[in-house]
Amino acid sequence: MLNRESVETVLDDSRPLTIIPRDQHSISHKEISENAMKVLFRLNKAGFDAYLVGGGVRDLLLGKKPKDFDITTNATPEQMRKLFRNCRLVGRRFRLAHVIFGPEIIEVATFRGHHVALDTEENTESSASLTGDNGILLCDNIFGSIEEDAQRRDFSVNSLYYSVADFTLRDYTSGLKDLQEGRIRLIGDPDLRYREDPVRMLRAVRFAAKLDMTISDETAEPIPRLASRLHDIPPARLFEEALKLLQAGFGEITYRLLCKYRLFQFLFPLISRNFTQNRDSYMEQMIVMVLKNTDQRLRNDMKVNPAFLFAAMLWYPLLEYAQKITHERGLSYFDAFSLAMNYILEEQCRTLAIPKRLTTLMRDIWELKLRLSRRQGKRAHKLMEHPKFRAAYALLVLRAEVENNAELQRLTHWWDEFQMAAPPHQKKMLTILSEDNHVLAARLKRRTSSRENV
C-alpha cells in the first residue's frame, strides 16, 4: 500500500498536507482506466490542475479493482464542455461533467469551495449553495481550491488525490492513516454533515461493510438520533441507495449494520415494525438468508435481480396482510392476496420508489409462488414455462428452509425432481400426484359423511 515512514509532511494554509512521492505508494497508472488517463492528461495539457480522487484512489491503495474512476479539477463545467466534445453537463444540486467514452463515463467535478450565503440578486446557480429549511443542501455549486475540496468531501478515506502530473499522492484529511487503521471517519462536524445530506449515514454503513472497516465513534454517534432525517430524502434516491447497500456483495453485514444504527426502519418500515427481540422470526431469517444468497451469487459473478430480493424480503409482511384481509373482509384467499400485494407495494414505495418494471416482476414472483402447490394435470408444465418460474421456485426453497416445514419441503423436493426428470418420469410423477389427490379427496369425503351421520 504505502510506507508511512517515507511520507513527507508540509503545511499549507495551516492544514497538514501529506504528500507521498511516486516511488513510495503502490498506485500504478497502468491500473487506471485508459480513458481516465486521457482526461487527466488533456486537462493538464490545457493548463488545469486535475486529480484522480475518491473511491478509485482508495480501492487502488487497498489492492482492489475500482468500479469507476472519478476526477476533480479546477476547470469549471463550462470549460470542460469546451475542452471535450464528448462531454455533457449533468446535475442541478452538484454540477458535474460526464466525459463519455462509449460505455465508460468518466465523471469530472470542479473543486468544491466552502458554503457562502446566497445573494439572489448577484449570485447565479453556478456559484452558490442553497440549504432547505431542514438543513439539507439543495444546491452546491461553490467552486474553490483543492484544499477546500478535500474538506468538503464526505469521508477521509475518500479524500485522497492522485496526480498524473508528478504521480504523487496527496492527503489533506489524514485519510491515509484512517485507511491503514480501517476506520470510516466523516470529515468535519458529523451533525452538520449529516443534516446537509442524510444519505451520508447510509454511505458510512455501506463503506464500513464493503471495506470491512469500523465507523469511528464521533462519526457513528449521531446516526441513530438523526436517522429519521432520511424521511427528507426523495424515495427515488433512497431506492438507488438501497441497491448499493444490499446488492454490492456485502448485503448481510450491511443489513446488520443498518439495524444496529436504526437506519433500516426508514428504508423498510413494513419489515422493521415486525422485528422480534431475538431477531429469529421467519421474516428476519428470510432476510438474512436471501442476502447471504445474493452475496454468494455476486461473489460467483452471477446475475442478481432486485425484484427477487425485495419479493423475498417482503414475503412475510405480504402473507400477514393477506391473512388479515381474509379474516376481516371474508374474501377468498386469492382475492385477499391480490389486494395485499397492492397494499404492500404501495406502502413500500412510499420510502423506496421501486420502479414499475420491478414491482411487476415482484407481483409475478408472488403470484407464481402461490400457485406452485397447484400442479396437477398440465399446470406443472405451464408453471415451468413462466419466465419467473425459477424465481418463484427459489422463493419456495427459501421458505421451506426458513420454516423447516415438512409439507413445504416435500413440495420443494417434488419440483426439484420434476425439473430434472425426463418426460416419461414427469408423466409418472403427475399420475402419482393425481392418484394421491383422489385418495385424499375420498378420505375427506368419508370424514365429512361420518360427521353428518353422528
Side-chain angles (χ1 to χ4, degrees):
M1 182 177 169
L2 55 89
N3 181 358
R4 288 296 301 176
E5 294 180 356
S6 65
V7 173
E8 176 188 0
T9 302
V10 299
L11 294 178
D12 183 46
D13 293 338
S14 300
R15 283 190 292 269
L17 163 62
T18 303
I19 298 179
I20 312 296
R22 179 179 187 175
D23 60 346
Q24 295 171 6
H25 63 72
S26 60
I27 296 180
S28 168
H29 68 272
K30 296 179 181 179
E31 301 172 303
I32 301 172
S33 160
E34 181 180 344
N35 293 322
M37 293 295 290
K38 288 180 181 178
V39 174
L40 288 165
F41 281 131
R42 184 177 294 186
L43 283 166
N44 284 165
K45 187 177 181 180
F48 297 107
D49 295 331
Y51 299 86
L52 192 68
V53 70
V57 177
R58 178 200 68 214
D59 289 346
L60 287 173
L61 288 171
L62 291 173
K64 301 175 181 289
K65 184 177 181 179
K67 183 179 179 181
D68 45 42
F69 296 91
D70 294 338
I71 292 171
T72 186
T73 178
N74 59 350
T76 66
E78 288 71 23
Q79 289 171 325
M80 283 290 302
R81 184 161 53 184
K82 292 179 181 179
L83 192 60
F84 295 90
R85 288 183 300 174
N86 54 333
C87 172
R88 68 179 181 185
L89 303 186
V90 300
R92 292 183 180 178
R93 183 168 172 264
F94 297 108
R95 197 69 166 157
L96 300 169
H98 281 179
V99 185
I100 303 168
F101 298 89
E104 184 178 18
I105 296 177
I106 305 299
E107 187 172 280
V108 185
T110 305
F111 293 148
R112 301 293 170 187
H114 294 305
H115 298 169
V116 297
L118 176 64
D119 184 338
T120 55
E121 295 183 358
E122 297 181 4
N123 289 327
T124 62
E125 183 181 289
S126 63
S127 63
S129 64
L130 281 172
T131 303
D133 294 338
N134 51 16
I136 291 180
L137 204 58
L138 303 177
C139 177
D140 184 17
N141 290 303
I142 302 294
F143 301 146
S145 64
I146 186 174
E147 292 82 8
E148 291 173 319
D149 187 79
Q151 295 298 323
R152 289 294 316 282
R153 294 191 173 270
D154 51 8
F155 302 101
S156 61
V157 295
N158 292 338
S159 186
L160 300 168
Y161 297 74
Y162 175 75
S163 170
V164 295
D166 55 9
F167 303 105
T168 59
L169 197 61
R170 292 170 171 253
D171 177 11
Y172 297 85
T173 61
S174 299
L176 293 171
K177 181 180 180 182
D178 288 332
L179 198 63
Q180 286 193 319
E181 296 179 358
R183 180 171 51 241
I184 301 298
R185 179 175 58 83
L186 198 62
I187 300 170
D189 176 58
D191 274 72
L192 176 61
R193 301 308 302 277
Y194 288 143
R195 292 176 192 276
E196 286 178 349
D197 187 1
V199 167
R200 287 179 177 138
M201 294 183 283
L202 299 179
R203 286 169 59 80
V205 165
R206 177 158 63 89
F207 290 136
K210 175 183 177 180
L211 304 175
D212 191 23
M213 294 183 177
T214 57
I215 304 175
S216 68
D217 291 341
E218 68 274 16
T219 300
E221 185 276 327
I223 295 179
R225 56 184 173 82
L226 295 180
S228 62
R229 288 187 170 265
L230 289 175
H231 283 314
D232 297 326
I233 301 300
R237 188 180 178 202
L238 285 184
F239 168 74
E240 295 298 331
E241 291 299 325
L243 292 186
K244 295 176 185 177
L245 288 162
L246 303 178
Q247 288 205 306
F250 311 93
E252 182 193 0
I253 182 61
T254 300
Y255 161 68
R256 297 187 188 281
L257 288 174
L258 288 172
C259 293
K260 175 182 178 180
Y261 292 110
R262 302 176 189 173
L263 292 166
F264 188 84
Q265 66 195 73
F266 297 102
L267 299 177
F268 297 94
L270 284 171
I271 295 174
S272 59
R273 71 179 59 164
N274 293 314
F275 275 166
T276 59
Q277 184 174 359
N278 296 326
R279 296 291 169 89
D280 58 356
S281 67
Y282 289 158
M283 179 193 69
E284 290 158 297
Q285 292 180 56
M286 172 72 86
I287 294 172
V288 171
M289 196 170 294
V290 72
L291 289 173
K292 281 184 177 179
N293 288 354
T294 299
D295 292 344
Q296 186 63 44
R297 289 181 66 86
L298 289 169
R299 282 193 289 269
N300 294 333
D301 294 323
M302 299 172 69
K303 292 183 178 180
V304 295
N305 191 326
F308 176 75
L309 174 62
F310 293 143
M313 293 177 68
L314 293 166
W315 173 253
Y316 285 103
L318 172 64
L319 284 189
E320 181 183 11
Y321 196 71
Q323 292 165 358
K324 179 182 178 182
I325 295 178
T326 302
H327 294 312
E328 290 181 353
R329 304 188 188 181
L331 300 174
S332 70
Y333 187 74
F334 285 95
D335 289 340
F337 192 83
S338 180
L339 291 175
M341 286 194 297
N342 294 337
Y343 170 80
I344 293 296
L345 289 174
E346 182 179 346
E347 286 298 303
Q348 182 56 67
C349 286
R350 292 181 190 276
T351 52
L352 299 183
I354 305 174
K356 187 175 181 179
R357 60 183 174 81
L358 294 183
T359 58
T360 300
L361 293 179
M362 292 169 66
R363 288 177 185 275
D364 288 344
I365 294 170
W366 285 336
E367 290 176 345
L368 205 61
K369 163 65 180 68
L370 201 64
R371 292 161 52 196
L372 287 181
S373 59
R374 304 173 68 183
R375 57 202 191 279
Q376 297 82 4
K378 297 180 180 180
R379 289 175 178 168
H381 290 289
K382 289 183 177 179
L383 289 171
M384 281 182 57
E385 292 171 359
H386 195 287
K388 288 299 145 191
F389 169 77
R390 291 297 303 175
Y393 170 72
L395 182 55
L396 171 66
V397 172
L398 284 175
R399 186 183 178 191
E401 190 172 348
V402 165
E403 298 182 24
N404 196 24
N405 180 285
E407 184 177 347
L408 287 174
Q409 289 174 348
R410 282 194 297 270
L411 181 60
T412 300
H413 293 155
W414 189 93
W415 275 112
D416 191 38
E417 182 180 353
F418 189 78
Q419 292 176 75
M420 302 299 295
H425 186 60
Q426 287 181 336
K427 184 176 181 180
K428 182 179 179 181
M429 290 178 68
L430 291 172
T431 300
I432 294 173
L433 182 64
S434 179
E435 292 174 351
D436 290 344
N437 286 337
H438 285 312
V439 171
L440 291 173
R443 288 178 181 175
L444 180 61
K445 185 175 181 179
R446 285 196 298 271
R447 289 176 184 173
T448 303
S449 178
S450 63
R451 289 173 184 168
E452 292 175 351
N453 293 331
V454 172

